Amino acid sequence: MTEVSLLSLVKSYGKSIALKGISLSVGHGEFVSLLGPSGCGKSTTLKCIAGFEDISDGKILFDNTDISRRLPEQRDIGMVFQSYALFPHMTVAQNLAFGLEMRRVPKSEIATRVARAMEMVQLTPYAERFPKALSGGQQQRVALARALVIEPAILLLDEPLANLDAKLRDEMRGFIRDLQKRVGITTIYVTHDQGEAMTMSDRVVVMFDGEIAQAAPPEEVYNHPASERVARFVGNANILDLAVTGKDAAGSDLALPGGGALRVDSPAPWANGRLRVMARPEQIALTDPGAGHLGGEISKRYFSGGHVEYHVDTQCGPLVVLGPTTQTVAEGQTVALAFDPARLWPIPDPKGPAQ
Amino acid sequence: MKRLRASLLIAPSAALIFLFIVLPYITVLVMSFRAPAEGQPYGEGFSLEGYTHFFNESYYAMSLPQTMFLGLLTTLVCLVLAYPVALHIAFASKRWRGFLYGIVLSPLLVGIVVRSYGWTILLGNSGVINSTLRNMGLIQKPLPLMYNDFGVVLALAHVFLPFMVLPLLSALQAMDPAITQAARSLGASRFTIFRRVTFPVSMPGVQSGCILVFVLAISSYVTPALVGGMRVKTTTLLVVDALIDQFQWPFGSAMALILAVSAGIVVLIFARLTRMKWT
Amino acid sequence: MRLATPLLTFIRVSVYVFLLAPIVIVVLASLNAGNFLTFPPQGLSLRWFWTFLQNDVFIDAIIYSAVLALCATAVSLVIGTMAALYFVRHATREAEVVRVGMLLPLILPEILTAIALLFFFYEIGIGTEHQIALFTGHVLMTLPFVFLNVTTSLQGRDESVELAARTLGASRYTAFRRVTLPLIAPGLATGGIFAFIISFDTFGISFILKGAGSAPLPIQLYDYLRFNFTPEAAAVSTVSILLTLVLVTVSDLVFGRE
């Protein structure tokens, strides 16, 4: 098991800067996801770790050893590519054996290790097939086995599920996570799918524009996003811009349009004397008009199996609310929204807290 | 470091192209301004005589419009013949496509001398076509199919047809088949789809095919020599004659450059006329 | 529209016939028993193939052309593949310059390139001696075909396959030899075949740059055809067509098709 540390990683292509000083450390056996929109630098970070991109500045350490200048083949990494990158002219077994051959592992040992790896990903019957004859999910598992059979120091995964259909993707999420836990390998996973990042990772690193916006466990990122942009990227976010009517050491009092009042745990309002708070759709309840904190009218109602999504026009703008299917509220109906003050999250002021 | 290692890959080809294409073409340019001489390829000093000689002698000067005419006609014939074929192959089933592709490429697998020779067998006075027609009693005297513009254009069109089909084909295959379906769903007839959608979208292919065929046609030597029997005088034939047989290097070079510049002007005008804003 | 369909079919079939006609005619003419090229043939016979086999000029020319084509192809394959690798994997802003540069021998009129080379080699004092100019010309003519085919082959390949080999511990060279090379082998084969055929058939370069002594086949054939009309030329042509066909078929069977 290996610890990976990125120290102020900078990558520039001529004038454009892809990574603006990334610092991150990934612990022994930890599963970390790099999450962000395309062009945020997550894939570049992975390529730098793998050695496919030279870094412009900074350092990459594996267990305190600087490997920034090493060639990819000298870094002892296992990598799974978005396209799987299986060798089409080799059978499954030959694909798996390749890395061991490069390490000059004796033939007999190669055979046993390949067999074990194939068993691990449940592909033993397919050993002599060529990649083309396998389904997407099977190819995916070959790619995983090929990366793991060499027992690398770390495992890198570059959007490995992007080419699978929805049902298989859900299955593979669990499969990869279980395998990673069993092997106990330090893993860095790149994805633009927040659901994937949430369900699989020990820690999610949200990146925008070549910088880390937040690095925290999934619950923390989801419930306590570091910025409005993170809040909106990681799931559906209702942002309410509210006036602060009073504040003490324990929290702030907020006024809602229409007379409602709320109290949140927050040290300070923003510089303009207001506070922006986030409420996730499932953290808001629909109640009868008159009750709750904020009045509104249902503009759209979407049934989606497990729950119902309501779009509600309020004086704080349009909000999204998830309700249980047992509750029936029609479009056009007047309702009130009730917030759970304990779960409202005041978004930190990007300019720093006002005094 | 990485860049340096990578540039070693391109170094041999770059050196080859620079040494044996760029420098030699500069040599031709310089040669065209050298003074002519008797008994040796060129003399001392520089002069414009190579160029003035070409335009003063109508025997040479008139070959230029004649060559351009042959080139344009060949291009047009190629385009008209190649388009239906390219369309056919682009939308043919996979099994047929390979076979038809083979037919289109087959002339390329056979040397240009052999192909031109094949045309002389077909078009000659006692050739296949004339003797067949005569045996059928349709003609008394052989039709003049060879040693004239007709034969040359026909043979040139054959020789260069693959160079028209291939760019057309790649343009047509790059086209999203959904757009013709979209046009259809919007109510366009098949002819309208061709005129308003397929043909305009394939324009880049039309352009490169036409330019390629035109340039190849005006600079070809064997075909006009064999099928034209030296009776159709193209500038290229005169260039080779001046250089190889008459040993007049400055004049030959000047003539070659005049041809190249004229071709460049025609290509530019063509590109200008068929300019597309969307590519 | 109902009328247009049979008309289009007719045009298409005519074009296919047009494309094949001269080749078929040459082969038929080579089987002519008579002394002159006439049609229909005056009986079938292989006598012109016998005449050809006893004609040292043509036999020498075929061997000469084949050796020249093999050597030119070998050189083009190596440096053209290197250039294609550079173009696909490393070229950024200069990519267009590289592409146009590599295609120059194809785009520029062959006869003009031949003349340019002739002057150039005279200027540096070599002239057409030792077949250096001729060989250089043939490498130039074949280079674009190798470059085009290998480039297409490389572009169709996912680069991450090579990167995957690197992560598994293969050096740059091993990754190329074990992974990239087997995958682009069909492209190399096609490029090589094209190069060989182009070199075997090219006229302008050989016509201008051939030195004293033996000459490539197309030149000998051309010289012969200027003054003779016997079906022997057709027999020579048929043999060269057959050689090409055999070459294409064999490589197709060995390397498969792209």
Side-chain angles (χ1 to χ4, degrees):
Chain A
M1 275 195 282
T2 308
E3 193 178 77
V4 179
S5 308
L6 311 181
L7 305 178
S8 341
L9 218 59
V10 175
K11 174 67 190 171
S12 52
Y13 301 95
K15 275 190 191 132
S16 73
I17 301 172
L19 297 179
K20 302 172 183 164
I22 301 283
S23 291
L24 176 71
S25 95
V26 183
H28 297 293
E30 194 183 10
F31 192 121
V32 166
S33 289
L34 305 183
L35 173 69
S38 51
C40 73
K42 56 189 195 298
S43 295
T44 308
T45 308
L46 202 71
K47 280 184 191 148
C48 288
I49 299 173
F52 296 134
E53 296 278 6
D54 293 333
I55 56 177
S56 311
D57 198 14
K59 267 183 189 163
I60 303 170
L61 308 182
F62 286 3
D63 276 345
N64 299 322
T65 313
D66 186 357
I67 54 101
S68 327
R69 303 278 161 238
R70 284 196 195 162
L71 293 170
E73 61 265 31
Q74 297 161 346
R75 293 193 180 192
D76 198 21
I77 47 173
M79 183 155 175
V80 175
F81 294 78
Q82 184 174 354
S83 61
Y84 315 141
L86 298 179
F87 307 131
H89 58 308
M90 299 183 194
T91 63
V92 170
Q94 285 169 337
N95 262 280
L96 264 56
F98 187 88
L100 298 171
E101 282 169 34
M102 292 301 124
R103 284 166 172 69
R104 307 199 186 288
V105 174
K107 270 222 166 81
S108 55
E109 195 189 329
I110 290 183
T112 48
R113 280 172 72 174
V114 166
R116 212 184 319 138
M118 262 177 320
E119 207 172 310
M120 181 174 73
V121 296
Q122 298 145 33
L123 280 172
T124 312
Y126 301 97
E128 298 312 316
R129 298 248 189 122
F130 284 96
K132 221 177 146 187
L134 301 181
S135 72
Q138 288 166 337
Q139 292 185 18
Q140 167 79 80
R141 281 184 280 158
V142 176
L144 260 174
R146 185 180 66 178
L148 288 174
V149 73
I150 56 173
E151 291 169 12
I154 60 164
L155 178 64
L156 305 178
L157 299 135
D158 185 11
E159 307 223 15
L161 304 183
N163 294 335
L164 296 177
D165 60 53
K167 195 168 175 296
L168 204 54
R169 197 152 48 207
D170 289 345
E171 268 175 49
M172 284 309 292
R173 277 185 195 180
F175 185 84
I176 293 177
R177 181 55 168 151
D178 290 347
L179 194 61
Q180 187 267 340
K181 272 194 180 146
R182 223 175 335 136
V183 180
I185 188 172
T186 308
T187 302
I188 301 175
Y189 186 100
V190 162
T191 181
H192 65 267
D193 182 323
Q194 45 97 11
E196 244 169 70
M198 294 283 162
T199 47
M200 298 172 78
S201 326
D202 294 318
R203 208 144 49 99
V204 176
V205 177
V206 185
M207 292 181 68
F208 294 121
D209 307 324
E211 285 176 306
I212 293 180
Q214 188 171 13
E219 286 89 349
E220 182 71 13
V221 172
Y222 186 75
N223 291 321
H224 302 151
S227 68
E228 202 170 316
R229 202 166 169 202
V230 174
R232 290 192 192 280
F233 191 77
V234 183
N236 222 328
N238 294 300
I239 310 282
L240 297 100
D241 185 46
L242 302 174
V244 177
T245 51
K247 101 179 169 67
D248 52 41
S252 308
D253 293 310
L254 305 172
L256 286 141
L262 276 169
R263 186 176 167 80
V264 295
D265 298 334
S266 167
W270 285 23
N272 58 5
R274 298 176 74 84
L275 200 57
R276 291 173 78 80
V277 296
M278 180 203 75
R280 296 289 181 192
E282 70 278 6
Q283 295 166 354
I284 307 175
L286 286 182
T287 64
D288 294 329
H293 300 98
L294 181 65
E297 190 190 307
I298 307 285
S299 67
K300 288 280 186 300
R301 175 181 184 277
Y302 301 107
F303 175 74
S304 66
H307 50 251
V308 185
E309 183 180 308
Y310 299 98
H311 289 225
V312 189
D313 288 336
T314 73
Q315 280 174 286
C316 288
L319 301 181
V320 179
V321 176
L322 281 190
T325 50
T326 47
Q327 190 180 22
T328 45
V329 187
E331 284 182 9
Q333 207 169 316
T334 312
V335 292
L337 306 181
F339 299 96
D340 177 358
R343 302 190 68 183
L344 281 179
W345 171 248
I347 288 169
D349 189 344
K351 296 181 195 81
Q355 292 313 312
Chain B
M1 188 53 208
K2 225 174 184 173
R3 301 285 307 164
L4 192 75
R5 196 200 304 267
S7 61
L8 285 178
L9 286 171
I10 192 71
S13 291
L16 197 76
I17 298 290
F18 180 77
L19 267 179
F20 298 119
I21 294 280
V22 178
L23 285 186
Y25 270 85
I26 294 172
T27 315
V28 172
L29 183 66
V30 174
M31 181 66 72
S32 73
F33 291 107
R34 287 199 187 273
E38 288 290 327
Q40 61 193 67
Y42 57 92
E44 297 280 314
F46 292 90
S47 86
L48 281 174
E49 205 169 309
Y51 292 90
T52 50
H53 186 57
F54 179 84
F55 289 109
N56 287 337
E57 297 275 333
S58 70
Y59 174 73
Y60 292 115
M62 285 318 288
S63 74
L64 193 59
Q66 158 83 356
T67 309
M68 294 294 150
F69 169 74
L70 284 180
L72 288 173
L73 199 58
T74 304
T75 309
L76 188 66
V77 170
C78 273
L79 181 61
V80 171
L81 293 182
Y83 211 103
V85 172
L87 263 183
H88 188 216
I89 298 178
F91 300 110
S93 67
K94 215 173 174 183
R95 214 168 44 127
W96 273 97
R97 195 180 297 162
F99 176 69
L100 297 173
Y101 208 72
I103 296 187
V104 168
L105 287 181
S106 64
L108 286 183
L109 300 180
V110 180
I112 196 161
V113 176
V114 176
R115 276 184 282 162
S116 306
Y117 171 51
W119 280 108
T120 65
I121 305 178
L122 274 167
L123 302 176
N125 282 347
S126 52
V128 176
I129 294 175
N130 272 323
S131 53
T132 309
L133 290 177
R134 203 157 28 187
N135 291 346
M136 289 165 70
L138 290 173
I139 51 170
Q140 265 76 52
K141 275 202 306 187
L143 295 173
L145 300 175
M146 223 174 95
Y147 304 130
N148 56 19
D149 289 359
F150 172 82
V152 172
V153 168
L154 195 67
L156 282 176
H158 176 258
V159 169
F160 299 125
L161 197 59
F163 293 98
M164 183 68 88
V165 176
L166 294 182
L168 285 178
L169 197 54
S170 63
L172 286 171
Q173 281 175 334
M175 188 172 83
D176 180 1
I179 68 169
T180 55
Q181 286 159 8
R184 201 124 204 223
S185 74
L186 293 168
S189 70
R190 264 167 70 172
F191 179 69
T192 311
I193 292 173
F194 175 77
R195 196 172 51 86
R196 297 279 305 275
V197 181
T198 313
F199 189 73
V201 170
S202 70
M203 249 342 245
V206 173
Q207 259 192 342
S208 38
C210 285
I211 291 172
L212 200 57
V213 169
F214 177 73
V215 171
L216 287 170
I218 59 159
S219 57
S220 74
Y221 176 83
V222 190
T223 310
L226 278 178
V227 182
M230 294 297 173
R231 259 165 270 186
V232 177
K233 291 282 174 205
T234 70
T235 309
T236 306
L237 290 180
L238 297 177
V239 168
V240 175
D241 186 56
L243 289 170
I244 306 300
D245 296 334
Q246 298 180 37
F247 237 41
Q248 300 174 318
W249 286 12
F251 175 53
S253 302
M255 203 156 34
L257 284 173
I258 291 167
L259 178 65
V261 170
S262 315
I265 292 170
V266 172
V267 167
L268 275 182
I269 293 172
F270 173 75
R272 187 94 204 181
L273 288 176
T274 58
R275 192 171 46 168
M276 292 150 291
K277 291 195 188 78
W278 52 271
T279 47
Chain C
M1 217 191 82
R2 293 278 155 257
L3 255 174
T5 313
L7 185 68
L8 269 179
T9 311
F10 176 74
I11 294 174
R12 277 200 295 259
V13 172
S14 314
V15 176
Y16 290 129
V17 170
F18 171 70
L19 279 167
L20 290 174
I23 303 160
V24 173
I25 287 297
V26 167
V27 175
L28 286 180
S30 71
L31 299 169
N32 191 353
N35 276 328
F36 295 97
L37 284 171
T38 50
F39 204 88
Q42 301 145 310
L44 293 177
S45 120
L46 290 176
R47 62 178 277 216
W48 293 110
F49 287 90
W50 280 114
T51 317
F52 152 64
L53 282 175
Q54 278 142 20
N55 186 340
D56 286 345
V57 175
F58 280 136
I59 298 289
D60 283 352
I62 280 197
I63 293 169
Y64 183 85
S65 274
V67 172
L68 179 64
L70 270 182
C71 297
T73 302
V75 173
S76 281
L77 268 181
V78 175
I79 68 173
T81 302
M82 286 164 69
L85 277 169
Y86 179 84
F87 175 69
V88 176
R89 296 284 158 79
H90 301 285
T92 48
R93 269 164 304 174
E94 76 281 17
E96 200 49 32
V97 177
V98 171
R99 203 175 69 88
V100 172
M102 290 302 292
L103 297 184
L104 270 184
L106 182 66
I107 301 168
L108 295 169
E110 184 185 343
I111 208 99
L112 196 55
T113 304
I115 290 162
L117 275 172
L118 180 74
F119 292 167
F120 180 74
F121 275 98
Y122 267 107
E123 291 278 325
I124 61 172
I126 296 176
T128 55
E129 278 170 57
H130 311 303
Q131 282 127 39
I132 295 173
L134 183 65
F135 180 68
T136 309
H138 275 247
V139 172
L140 281 175
M141 294 319 288
T142 53
L143 194 58
F145 292 92
V146 172
F147 177 76
L148 278 176
N149 277 293
V150 179
T151 298
T152 313
S153 194
L154 278 172
Q155 279 168 339
R157 290 286 160 207
D158 182 5
E159 195 194 352
S160 56
V161 173
E162 210 175 313
L163 299 183
R166 298 291 301 281
T167 66
L168 293 169
S171 68
R172 205 178 265 116
Y173 170 71
T174 311
F176 177 76
R177 190 174 53 82
R178 291 279 311 266
V179 177
T180 314
L181 199 58
L183 293 179
I184 61 169
L188 280 173
T190 315
I193 294 289
F194 257 101
F196 184 91
I197 291 168
I198 292 297
S199 166
F200 198 75
D201 289 337
T202 199
F203 181 82
I205 287 278
S206 304
F207 185 60
I208 307 276
L209 297 177
K210 75 170 164 65
S214 42
L217 182 64
I219 309 304
Q220 297 291 18
L221 202 56
Y222 175 76
D223 280 347
Y224 182 85
L225 284 171
R226 282 166 84 171
F227 311 106
N228 303 283
F229 280 93
T230 69
E232 186 181 349
V236 179
S237 306
T238 303
V239 169
S240 105
I241 293 172
L242 283 177
L243 272 181
T244 311
L245 274 181
V246 167
L247 199 65
V248 172
T249 318
V250 167
S251 91
D252 215 45
L253 290 175
V254 176
F255 297 100
R257 205 171 306 190
E258 274 285 82

